[in-house]
Amino acid sequence: MNFGLDRLLSDDALRAQLKGRRVALLAHPASVTKDLGHAVDALAACPEINITAAFGPQHGMKGDLQDNMMESPDYRDPVHGFPVFSLYGEVRRPKDEWMETFDVVLIDLQDLGCRIYTYVTTLLYVLEAAAKHGKSVWVLDRPNPAGRPVEGMTLKPGWESFVGAGPMPMRHGMTMGELGLWFIDRFRLDVDYRVVEMQGWAPEAGPGFGWPLGERAWVNPSPNAPNLSMARCYAGTVMLEGATLSEGRGTTRPLELFGAPDIDARAVIAEMQALAPVWLGGCVLRDMWFEPTFHKHVGKLCSGVQIHVDHPGYDHAAFKPWRVQALGFKAIRRLYPDYDLWRDFPYEYAFGKLPIDVINGGPGLREWVDDAAAGPGDLEAATRPDEAAWEEARGAFLLY
């Protein structure tokens, strides 16, 4: 199959439309061709394309910064000489003067299919700036490695943030190109927008179910996104960033597991299985041990639960990562009623709110976990209408 970048590089007619225009590129380390050349170099080698600026999202164009709220500086590309502006540094929205350095911006970002992954919000911010300044936006589309399933509560009004660009559920099931169409409609943006579509993407086909396994190499789109298993789990395990439990940062399997020194993972798994076994479909939970080399519980032996989604019996349609992690929280709350579960610190520049609520776009998930009388049926009743509404709303914008 061909991603949007590959199509642009191979299609003379497409590239001809960029001739004589100043071009900017928004990219990161996973913005690569099928032979693993970076988009910056591949596009700069095209005589029709004049790159005058580039932009880097969270974690930087180089993808070198590990954690949230670690800001990247502006710099000049050491090979090609154009400025590289940081959209996760002094600002998160493009400055007006930056918008004057180009006529059309190519967005080539590998997403993970999750509302909280900040490349989604950066897409919206660039679209809004392009509408204001009369610039063109082309999205060079890439697969959603989490595929088409939808899951989670819809972000509530007033809970918009850098990890919540609009009223969508945690797992949106769209590509970046499709999300751009939805943003333009939702926020009524008047912008010249184009999606350079993929060829041959089959999100319902195994074994990749969104990612073309065996056809394309995986390149980390951010430092703690090392493989397809992480991408599949992320819509659930990202909630651990708002919890005191480790999400496996500082290990070789970040965001595929959770644990802490003061829990019994076997007991947690047993409680999860007893409480809502139907929520555990598609995956296998395994108790294990880990010792983070950095981040939460650094240097401490943790009892953990690893969520396996790479086994032969993996069932993509049945796997519900958001529910699995919600159930993990609920099991810990039931086993350890006084457990200090929720972190309290400024999360992604959202001050005065608990991170778990910012992540979920409202307090509903946390309130369900902490309510001793609330069971799985209560969370289903609160969530299913949101999921059904999103399935219907996104339909008009799906390209594949």
Side-chain angles (χ1 to χ4, degrees), residues 88-306:
Y88 197 84
E90 179 187 345
V91 295
R92 275 151 297 285
R93 294 177 180 270
K95 293 182 180 180
D96 288 344
E97 56 265 34
W98 296 349
M99 299 299 293
E100 299 308 315
T101 64
F102 65 89
D103 303 308
V104 55
V105 58
L106 308 179
I107 299 178
D108 186 26
L109 295 176
Q110 179 60 60
D111 186 41
L112 291 184
C114 184
R115 182 190 67 224
I116 195 176
Y117 208 48
T118 61
Y119 305 149
V120 172
T121 308
T122 294
L123 169 63
L124 173 61
Y125 290 177
V126 171
L127 285 170
E128 290 175 331
K132 175 183 175 182
H133 291 271
K135 305 298 181 178
S136 299
V137 177
W138 289 23
V139 169
L140 310 183
D141 219 4
R142 290 181 173 269
N144 178 339
R148 286 302 196 194
V150 168
E151 193 185 9
M153 294 178 175
T154 297
L155 181 140
K156 303 298 185 283
W159 286 91
E160 295 82 5
S161 71
F162 196 56
V163 293
M168 66 180 76
M170 185 71 85
R171 191 179 179 192
H172 53 70
M174 300 176 77
T175 70
M176 289 286 275
E178 293 168 340
L179 277 170
L181 294 169
W182 181 78
F183 280 139
I184 289 167
D185 180 78
R186 172 73 190 184
F187 295 102
R188 300 177 181 176
L189 301 177
D190 183 9
V191 59
D192 179 38
Y193 180 73
R194 176 170 190 165
V195 181
V196 180
E197 297 178 20
M198 295 176 282
Q199 293 172 323
W201 187 49
E204 307 297 342
F209 299 104
W211 185 258
L213 277 173
E215 293 189 57
R216 299 293 293 238
W218 181 273
V219 177
N220 291 20
S222 58
N224 286 286
N227 52 48
L228 179 58
S229 292
M230 176 274 180
R232 288 173 172 171
C233 294
Y234 183 65
T237 55
V238 69
M239 293 193 287
L240 291 156
E241 294 184 359
T244 58
L245 307 169
S246 170
E247 64 271 24
R249 290 177 187 265
T251 78
T252 58
R253 308 300 297 219
L255 294 153
E256 295 178 55
L257 54 86
F258 64 92
D262 51 355
I263 68 168
D264 179 345
R266 287 194 177 189
V268 170
I269 292 173
E271 186 70 17
M272 294 170 71
Q273 292 170 336
L275 187 60
V278 70
W279 286 7
L280 302 179
C283 66
V284 173
L285 303 183
R286 180 180 64 89
D287 64 283
M288 42 83 76
W289 299 91
F290 64 96
E291 183 178 300
T293 59
F294 59 85
H295 214 259
K296 287 179 274 184
H297 306 306
V298 59
K300 296 180 181 179
L301 182 62
C302 296
S303 178
V305 177
Q306 184 166 353

Side-chain angles (χ1 to χ4, degrees), residues 115 150-160 163-172 182 186 322-323 356-365 379-394:
R115 182 190 67 224
V150 168
E151 193 185 9
M153 294 178 175
T154 297
L155 181 140
K156 303 298 185 283
W159 286 91
E160 295 82 5
V163 293
M168 66 180 76
M170 185 71 85
R171 191 179 179 192
H172 53 70
W182 181 78
R186 172 73 190 184
W322 185 80
R323 284 168 171 78
I356 189 65
D357 296 346
V358 176
I359 290 167
N360 276 290
L365 186 281
L379 190 65
E380 289 285 10
T383 305
R384 282 185 177 177
D386 287 356
E387 293 167 341
W390 178 253
E391 289 265 15
E392 182 176 356
R394 72 173 185 171

